[in-house]
Amino acid sequence: MIQTSIRARLISSFTAAILVPSLISAAVGVWMIDRQITSQAQSHVNADLQGANEICRNYLERLENAIRIHATRMIIYGALGRKDRGPLEPEMHNILQAERLDILTVTDADGTVFHRTRNPSLYGDRLAEDELIHRALRYKIPVSDIAILPQAELAKESAELASQAHMEITPTPMASRSGKTRETSGMMFRAAAPVLSPDGRLQGVLYGAVLINRNYEIVDKIRKVVFREVLYKGREVGTVTIFQDDVRIATNVLNADGTRAITTRASAEVADEVLRRGHTWRGRAFVVNDWYIAAYTPMKDIKDRTIGMLYVGTLERPYTDSLWRSLFIFLGMTVLGVAIVTWVAIVLAHRISLPIHAMAEAAGKVAEGDYAQRVDYSSPDEIGHLVERFNRMIQELARTTQELMDWAANLESKVEDRTSQVKAMQNQLLQAEKLAAIGKLAAGVAHEINNPLTGILTSGSLMLEDVPPDDPRHEELKIIVDETMRCRKIVKGLLDFARQTKPQKQAVSLNQVIADVVNLVGKQAAFRDIDIQMDLAADLPAVMADQDQMRQVVLNAVLNAAEAMHQGGELRFTSRHDSAGKTVEVSIADTGPGVPDDIKDKIFDPFFTTKKTGTGLGLAIAYGIVDRHGGTISIRSRPGHGTTVVFRIPVEAGGENEQLPQA
Ligand SMILES: Nc1ncnc2c1ncn2[C@@H]1O[C@H](COP(=O)(O)OP(=O)(O)OP(=O)(O)O)[C@@H](O)[C@H]1O
Ligand SMILES: [Mg+2]
């Protein structure tokens, strides 16, 4: 989930980072191109409009020239001078046809119609009020104009001309709401020239005109010249229309059925701007069935009144198509950019999220206690650095955890050690207290018994000397003396144990003490089957002790060992210097049957014995002596595996406890 979120965020930010500026630049680019194209199209249309105006002017000029030239013909001023219409008729007809005119009329110097070529039977009506005729007569110069002629004027020429001008207006939604439904008058390009006699007198006026309604010559010529008949997708790019007021009277805009789109009206907006205000209108215009970049300019009569409009328009489609093309190119580039960036973002996000995901997983496992986790990723960047630190952190965590565990285990064994030490000390204390109490009692008893025993022994001995050996009492007396001696020995032992004899301390080699004891007992019968082994330290320091008492301790242990090994065995003496404890340690080990567990803590008690003739004082005396020297004595034994008596004597005197048994 974390992985998708980081990845998704990276990808979306990257995509947004490219998408937003791309779209903005695409929008700005398209807007700029649109402006560029539109202004280009507008300037094109301006030029086109100029060209169109120029062609109209040319047309009028050509018409004016033709009329001017024909006006100089002798046949015209001759006929006027003679007032004879006869010869005029065929000639005028020729001119009408040659110049493709719709009206060709000759007036006299008053402006009264002298000859009407299309309708020769009708003459005599006055045209002097017509501004064009008026100017030609007055200024005696050729003039031309564009004018609207009412139906009556057209009808004078021919019914055909009137019907050519007649238009039933097609309703258009955008047109102004004037109630006009038909147009009966006609727009005419006209020219008039004075007819002068050779002597320069004004004879009349020659007047010719062309009806523009349903006459496509001019508009098609404009298109041909201005737009050069350029096609776009099979359609003419340029269109030209002449409006009479706001009605299309000549155009090359086609309806859907291919007919020319005349009789329709310009939009109210255009009509208002051009016809009412006399301005040129430029902009997009929907003409019949397509959008054009268009311009409408007013057409004025000789008195400068706006009577119609000249329209040129170029199909907008080529421009919009190129706009769309650039938009598609922009969008294509954006899509491509987004695709590339998204791909890069995916790769990058994968590279970033992979080690993070691995670290999260490893952290979870470490939390469960698995410190063997390592994230396998290396890279010289920050993430690589992070992974490396993370791995090191796990290692460190594993190490400290192990240390803590070791320490806890160590603490436990230390506590166990100390507890057993305290227990041993407690036991020793108990033993010491017990022995002190027994010693006190025994010392008292021994002291009291010692004197009477001396008396008994002295008396017994004297009596024994007096009784001859063959006397039957001799044997009994001997028993008395022996048993008394035994009692004295016990008493002496008791007094020894209870420290009645004070140690005479001097520097003593315990190795020497061992050697003395071995010498003393070695040759006795009890040691015949015993293999004596010495394992003595050569550099053993001397201890401050009573030598006799040290021999006593060793002897008592040796005697016990010999008694335990009456079948034979090995007796091993070991001595060593414990420099840390500043003591000399002596152990006397036998291979006898060992001490049963249940009597282990009793064997140092006075009078504890398992032997028929034993006093149970041997180890008690040894304990008393060692204790008075400030040392310790203990036994190590396993039933069936022999017994080892170990005692330690401090190297330097001073630690002894001489008060112990009496305490
Ligand atoms: N090396 C040993 N092997 C087996 N048991 C021993 C050994 N040393 C001592 N004991 C046991 O400890 C008891 C006490 O010994 P201790 O030397 O105090 O008295 P004893 O040997 O019995 O009598 P005494 O020393 O007066 O002859 C012995 O009776 C014996 O049971
Ligand atoms: Mg003994």
Side-chain angles (χ1 to χ4, degrees):
M1 193 177 157
I2 293 166
Q3 191 189 15
T4 49
S5 132
I6 281 184
R7 192 180 285 184
R9 255 187 287 169
L10 269 171
I11 293 169
S12 57
S13 355
F14 267 90
T15 308
I18 181 81
L19 199 59
V20 170
S22 296
L23 287 180
I24 289 173
S25 68
V28 170
V30 166
W31 176 74
M32 279 167 63
I33 291 169
D34 179 41
R35 267 179 52 124
Q36 180 77 20
I37 286 175
T38 309
S39 77
Q40 215 175 27
Q42 282 294 350
S43 62
H44 266 270
V45 166
N46 284 344
D48 296 344
L49 191 63
Q50 237 171 358
N53 267 326
E54 197 59 39
I55 290 164
C56 285
R57 250 199 312 281
N58 275 346
Y59 191 89
L60 274 179
E61 239 167 62
R62 202 178 52 78
L63 184 64
E64 194 184 299
N65 273 337
I67 294 301
R68 181 174 55 81
I69 290 163
H70 289 298
T72 59
R73 294 175 77 157
M74 190 187 74
I75 194 164
I76 299 177
Y77 68 78
L80 275 170
R82 290 191 306 275
K83 306 249 187 266
D84 174 14
R85 292 180 181 83
L88 209 51
E89 199 169 319
E91 192 55 41
M92 291 295 273
H93 201 77
N94 285 342
I95 297 170
L96 184 86
Q97 285 200 327
E99 301 296 342
R100 295 205 307 282
L101 300 172
D102 289 312
I103 294 175
L104 184 63
T105 297
V106 180
T107 69
D108 61 17
D110 294 334
T112 306
V113 174
F114 177 72
H115 176 75
R116 190 174 257 116
T117 310
R118 286 187 80 167
N119 193 4
S121 56
L122 185 66
Y123 54 86
D125 49 323
R126 275 181 61 83
L127 287 180
E129 277 75 43
D130 187 307
E131 185 65 22
L132 185 79
I133 311 291
H134 170 74
R135 287 192 189 186
L137 285 172
R138 176 141 183 221
Y139 303 115
K140 297 178 192 163
I141 49 160
V143 283
S144 61
D145 78 343
I146 306 169
I148 305 293
L149 292 197
Q151 187 187 25
E153 276 309 310
L154 300 172
K156 282 180 187 168
E157 297 294 325
S158 76
E160 208 179 292
L161 199 65
S163 82
Q164 186 187 330
H166 183 98
M167 280 185 189
E168 292 295 331
I169 294 169
T170 310
T172 334
M174 304 258 282
S176 70
R177 293 178 192 276
S178 78
K180 191 163 64 173
T181 57
R182 69 171 58 91
E183 186 59 75
T184 53
S185 51
M187 180 185 270
M188 311 225 62
F189 277 30
R190 309 189 301 172
V195 178
L196 301 173
S197 61
D199 56 0
R201 276 186 298 120
L202 181 70
Q203 299 289 322
V205 161
L206 179 64
Y207 153 59
V210 176
L211 183 65
I212 302 304
N213 303 43
R214 289 197 174 89
N215 177 346
Y216 307 117
E217 192 192 328
I218 297 177
V219 289
D220 286 350
K221 185 171 182 189
I222 292 173
R223 181 166 73 181
K224 192 172 175 183
V225 173
V226 170
F227 295 105
R228 290 178 293 278
E229 294 175 317
V230 174
L231 296 178
Y232 183 76
K233 292 183 179 167
R235 292 185 55 178
E236 292 277 357
V237 168
T239 50
V240 182
T241 301
I242 292 172
F243 288 84
Q244 177 181 333
D245 195 24
D246 64 347
V247 180
R248 289 188 179 84
I249 54 166
T251 185
N252 37 45
V253 176
L254 299 183
N255 286 318
D257 59 7
T259 57
R260 304 225 182 206
I262 50 169
T263 75
T264 53
R265 293 171 63 195
S267 73
E269 183 198 336
V270 171
D272 194 55
E273 182 72 8
V274 182
L275 297 173
R276 251 45 88 211
R277 286 186 231 278
H279 295 159
T280 296
W281 186 95
R282 293 182 181 86
R284 291 177 76 227
F286 191 81
V287 180
V288 183
N289 50 22
D290 220 332
W291 283 98
Y292 289 83
I293 297 161
Y296 294 77
T297 193
M299 291 173 86
K300 299 192 171 172
D301 68 4
I302 199 161
K303 288 183 174 167
D304 211 32
R305 291 173 305 201
T306 305
I307 53 166
M309 303 185 283
L310 176 62
Y311 150 93
V312 291
T314 166
L315 206 57
E316 195 192 47
R317 182 68 52 80
Y319 297 104
T320 51
D321 279 359
S322 83
L323 190 69
W324 278 113
R325 259 199 307 280
S326 33
L327 185 66
F328 279 130
I329 288 169
F330 268 112
L331 283 180
M333 277 161 63
T334 302
V335 167
L336 192 72
V338 166
I340 290 170
V341 163
T342 306
W343 181 75
V344 168
I346 287 172
V347 171
L348 209 66
H350 188 70
R351 283 194 51 174
I352 291 173
S353 69
L354 205 69
I356 290 175
H357 186 64
M359 279 196 285
E361 217 160 68
K365 286 195 179 152
V366 168
E368 286 164 14
D370 179 3
Y371 295 103
Q373 290 297 319
R374 293 291 177 273
V375 176
D376 189 18
Y377 179 86
S378 82
S379 161
D381 55 16
E382 288 91 333
I383 291 183
H385 200 57
L386 178 69
V387 169
E388 190 195 308
R389 289 269 169 102
F390 179 79
N391 282 340
R392 226 187 295 156
M393 187 186 75
I394 297 178
Q395 257 174 1
E396 203 55 25
L397 206 61
R399 194 181 61 75
T400 46
T401 308
Q402 188 57 46
E403 266 178 19
L404 268 175
M405 273 158 61
D406 288 354
W407 190 74
N410 207 13
L411 192 68
E412 224 162 85
S413 82
K414 270 187 183 161
V415 166
E416 257 168 33
D417 277 4
R418 285 273 184 273
T419 310
S420 66
Q421 272 176 14
V422 166
K423 248 186 208 164
M425 278 174 75
Q426 269 179 341
N427 277 345
Q428 263 182 7
L429 212 62
L430 219 64
Q431 182 81 349
E433 274 172 5
K434 194 171 72 183
L435 292 182
I438 293 168
K440 202 175 169 187
L441 181 72
V445 172
H447 193 74
E448 290 303 318
I449 287 173
N450 208 22
N451 289 341
L453 271 183
T454 311
I456 292 169
L457 190 60
T458 315
S459 304
S461 300
L462 288 173
M463 280 172 76
L464 192 62
E465 279 173 18
D466 291 349
V467 177
D470 52 343
D471 193 308
R473 284 173 302 168
H474 187 281
E475 193 58 32
E476 282 159 2
L477 274 171
K478 193 169 177 342
I479 290 171
I480 288 171
V481 170
D482 285 353
E483 288 301 304
T484 308
M485 291 267 278
R486 209 168 100 82
C487 285
R488 265 189 42 131
K489 191 183 155 201
I490 292 169
V491 168
K492 187 177 177 291
L494 270 176
L495 288 174
D496 276 350
F497 165 66
R499 191 196 50 92
Q500 289 302 300
T501 48
K502 209 178 169 195
Q504 304 293 313
K505 288 191 179 172
Q506 55 184 2
V508 173
S509 160
L510 290 181
N511 281 351
Q512 188 56 52
V513 167
I514 291 166
D516 291 349
V517 172
V518 170
N519 267 338
L520 189 71
V521 300
K523 294 189 182 86
Q524 290 187 16
F527 288 85
R528 197 181 305 137
D529 296 329
I530 292 173
D531 178 16
I532 294 174
Q533 296 289 332
M534 298 284 196
D535 194 358
L536 305 180
D539 55 347
L540 204 65
V543 294
M544 288 303 290
D546 183 317
Q547 184 153 7
D548 285 342
Q549 290 188 1
M550 287 299 108
R551 281 191 195 127
Q552 184 76 62
V553 172
V554 175
L555 184 66
N556 287 2
V558 167
L559 288 176
N560 280 348
E563 282 159 6
M565 298 189 293
H566 50 84
Q567 308 260 311
E570 187 192 275
L571 181 62
R572 178 174 292 272
F573 294 92
T574 311
S575 69
R576 70 178 192 95
H577 176 213
D578 177 3
S579 54
K582 293 180 180 166
T583 55
V584 169
E585 183 189 271
V586 173
S587 35
I588 300 139
D590 64 51
T591 55
V595 181
D597 279 342
D598 55 330
I599 64 165
K600 258 186 186 162
D601 52 351
K602 292 182 190 149
I603 58 171
F604 289 103
D605 290 1
F607 306 116
F608 178 82
T609 179
T610 56
K611 298 164 191 169
K612 269 185 195 151
T613 57
T615 63
L617 282 172
L619 287 180
I621 289 166
Y623 180 91
I625 292 169
V626 170
D627 191 72
R628 276 196 301 279
H629 282 79
T632 56
I633 182 165
S634 61
I635 189 159
R636 285 204 298 265
S637 179
R638 262 202 304 151
H641 288 85
T643 306
T644 303
V645 173
V646 181
F647 68 93
R648 291 159 175 263
I649 302 294
V651 172
E652 305 207 350
E656 66 262 44
N657 182 3
E658 298 190 21
Q659 299 301 312
L660 178 82
Q662 283 184 331

